[in-house]
Amino acid sequence: MDFARFIQIYVVQGLFALFFLYMAYLVLKRGKKAINLYLSSFYLSVTIGGVLNMIYANIFDPTIVFIMHFMTYYLFCFSMVFILIFVLILIKPANQINFRLQLLILIIFGLLILGLLFIPNGIIINATTNWKPNWSWVFFLYSFIICTIIIIFPTIYYSIKIYIKFESAYLKKKWKYFLIGIFAYFFLYYGTSLSNTLNHDTFRVIWSLISLPTLIALYLIYYGVGRQLE
């Protein structure tokens, strides 16, 4: 395992996993309401994905590694839907964002990103790639389009609407922290996806170093809203 991959997996993603697990614990301590459960589910999805990534990094069976890498990325993407539903619950009336609609959003998005699994040669990760993931551009573009249109754009749009609706300077400040946090996570999603698609060692090293400070920014998701949840 080269230095860049070691840093990305065991330092960057390892820290993310531990940090997100702790954040999930803090949120759940404040209650079991829907908004708490969705925010903690976001943190837990990333935690599980990070742990899987650290496990398969030292496995050298192509089939097992392929499955575990896909599961890692699936959870990385799927975690974002919990943030979207969290935001929708805050801005929409309860009768509009009822449990049935929440479940429908989860199922539809889950199935759409599951479609990544059926892209021919979408992921190559074996001895020929030195056990580093190498994605096709079709795989990258499918993920980019699905996640951006269905999750990222709506989340940003409704988050900004919530910010505009706040009249209190204190609430605006808190929600601004939340916005910075989700932008940091979306930045991490795009950068990691591009890194695996370019499959360039220099870019991987640069991205590993750039992505590490986002750990601080991601705390702002909790700092902005998680501490106020009861």
Side-chain angles (χ1 to χ4, degrees):
M1 182 179 296
D2 58 38
F3 179 71
R5 185 161 168 77
F6 177 85
I7 292 295
Q8 187 174 22
I9 293 174
Y10 292 106
V11 178
V12 177
Q13 296 183 17
L15 286 173
F16 279 141
L18 289 173
F19 169 76
F20 275 45
L21 180 61
Y22 181 61
M23 291 298 102
Y25 166 73
L26 290 179
V27 173
L28 288 174
K29 271 184 64 178
R30 295 180 173 270
K32 302 298 190 294
K33 293 193 303 183
I35 53 175
N36 300 65
L37 293 175
Y38 280 117
L39 188 58
S40 62
S41 294
F42 162 72
Y43 286 126
L44 286 172
S45 294
V46 180
T47 299
I48 297 169
V51 171
L52 287 175
N53 196 39
M54 288 187 285
I55 292 172
Y56 84 72
N58 285 297
I59 296 175
F60 302 101
D61 180 281
T63 303
I64 295 175
V65 170
F66 175 88
I67 293 171
M68 293 188 72
H69 173 71
F70 180 80
M71 289 173 62
T72 298
Y73 187 65
Y74 184 93
L75 289 167
F76 186 41
C77 293
F78 193 70
S79 64
M80 294 188 286
V81 75
F82 296 119
I83 291 292
L84 173 60
I85 297 176
F86 172 82
V87 171
L88 290 174
I89 290 174
L90 291 178
I91 196 172
K92 296 286 187 180
N95 63 336
Q96 290 187 22
I97 308 299
N98 54 42
F99 178 73
R100 181 177 296 179
L101 180 57
Q102 295 168 27
L103 187 61
L104 187 62
I105 293 171
L106 289 168
I107 292 172
I108 290 175
F109 183 65
L111 290 175
L112 284 172
I113 56 175
L114 187 63
L116 288 164
L117 187 61
F118 302 100
I119 296 175
N121 297 315
I123 299 173
I124 299 176
I125 180 168
N126 51 39
T128 65
T129 65
N130 198 24
W131 302 102
K132 299 175 185 177
N134 183 11
W135 299 352
S136 71
W137 281 101
V138 175
F139 185 96
F140 170 80
L141 289 173
Y142 180 90
S143 173
F144 180 93
I145 292 169
I146 293 299
C147 291
T148 300
I149 293 177
I150 295 180
I151 301 297
I152 295 176
F153 277 176
T155 301
I156 293 173
Y157 172 75
Y158 286 115
S159 295
I160 292 175
K161 283 191 69 174
I162 290 174
Y163 177 80
I164 293 171
K165 284 179 65 176
F166 284 143
E167 296 181 358
S168 165
Y170 174 78
L171 291 177
K172 279 183 175 290
K173 181 181 178 181
K174 283 293 186 180
W175 195 254
K176 191 182 297 183
Y177 288 134
F178 174 79
L179 284 170
I180 294 171
I182 62 171
F183 275 118
Y185 190 74
F186 296 153
F187 172 73
L188 191 66
Y189 157 75
Y190 286 126
T192 301
S193 299
L194 183 61
S195 177
N196 287 336
T197 305
L198 293 176
N199 192 31
H200 191 280
D201 287 341
T202 302
F203 187 85
R204 287 184 190 274
V205 173
I206 294 171
W207 176 245
S208 296
L209 297 175
I210 291 174
S211 59
L212 187 56
T214 60
L215 181 65
I216 300 172
L218 289 169
Y219 169 72
L220 298 178
I221 295 177
Y222 174 77
Y223 182 77
V225 296
R227 294 175 65 181
Q228 281 67 50
L229 296 176
E230 296 292 349

